Amino acid sequence: MYILNSIRNNFKTKSYGFYVALAPFVVTIVYSIMYLLLKDKTLFNVSTVIWGFAGCGAFLVLTMFSETSKYAPIVLVAANLFGLVGIAEAENFIDYITTVFFGGFSLEVLFSIDPNYLVPLVGSVLSLIISCVAMYLPQNKKQPKEDK
């Protein structure tokens, strides 16, 4: 019962940094699921999905306790960085990107990329950036010190 009460009280004292960190948590779940559901597996690397779900699971566990909640965004940063590396490390990814941008870079070319590849890539970068910001924000409100 002590642990459940501790978790319940911890979620009552969350600061704005926790809510900022929830955004990359949700984005990581979405891009991991989208990447897992790719029809064409030639640009697929399973480590991206593993890192995404492992990072989200670790985030949930670390946010349950006030002592460890400050480390939760750091885990998301690491998981999203490794997931982004996994996307870039996919077998034919470099060939695909060089073929798409062979004629130069423009918004028309950027939006011509298959959304099945573009959404996980943009989601991973976006989630990495927001979790880096959340890493520096307070996760819990300051508790007033009791006089003894």
Side-chain angles (χ1 to χ4, degrees):
M1 281 306 201
Y2 172 74
I3 293 175
L4 291 176
N5 287 334
S6 174
I7 292 171
R8 191 175 305 124
N9 290 336
N10 180 41
F11 280 104
K12 290 178 183 176
T13 63
K14 289 296 180 190
S15 182
Y16 61 93
F18 168 74
Y19 300 105
V20 171
L22 276 180
F25 170 78
V26 171
V27 171
T28 301
I29 289 175
V30 168
Y31 87 74
S32 295
I33 291 172
M34 284 194 68
Y35 194 69
L36 185 63
L37 298 176
L38 279 175
K39 292 180 182 109
D40 183 14
K41 298 292 185 186
T42 58
L43 298 176
F44 182 76
N45 189 346
V46 73
S47 68
T48 300
V49 177
I50 292 171
W51 280 112
F53 288 134
C56 288
F59 177 82
L60 283 177
V61 169
L62 290 173
T63 56
M64 288 185 188
F65 304 100
S66 60
E67 295 83 15
T68 59
S69 64
K70 61 184 172 185
Y71 302 114
I74 298 170
V75 170
L76 271 181
V77 168
N80 283 308
L81 181 63
F82 295 144
L84 184 60
V85 169
I87 290 174
E89 202 176 57
E91 189 171 323
N92 297 323
F93 183 76
I94 300 297
D95 295 336
Y96 178 74
I97 293 298
T98 54
T99 303
V100 168
F101 293 114
F102 182 73
F105 183 82
S106 69
L107 285 178
E108 181 181 337
V109 172
L110 183 65
F111 290 118
S112 71
I113 296 176
D114 185 9
N116 291 325
Y117 302 123
L118 187 63
V119 170
L121 182 63
V122 170
S124 179
V125 170
L126 183 67
S127 185
L128 178 65
I129 291 169
I130 297 172
S131 56
C132 282
V133 170
M135 184 171 63
Y136 294 103
L137 299 175
Q139 298 298 308
N140 293 316
K141 294 177 184 171
K142 299 272 186 200
Q143 297 294 328
K145 295 190 179 192
E146 297 177 7
D147 294 332
K148 292 190 177 191

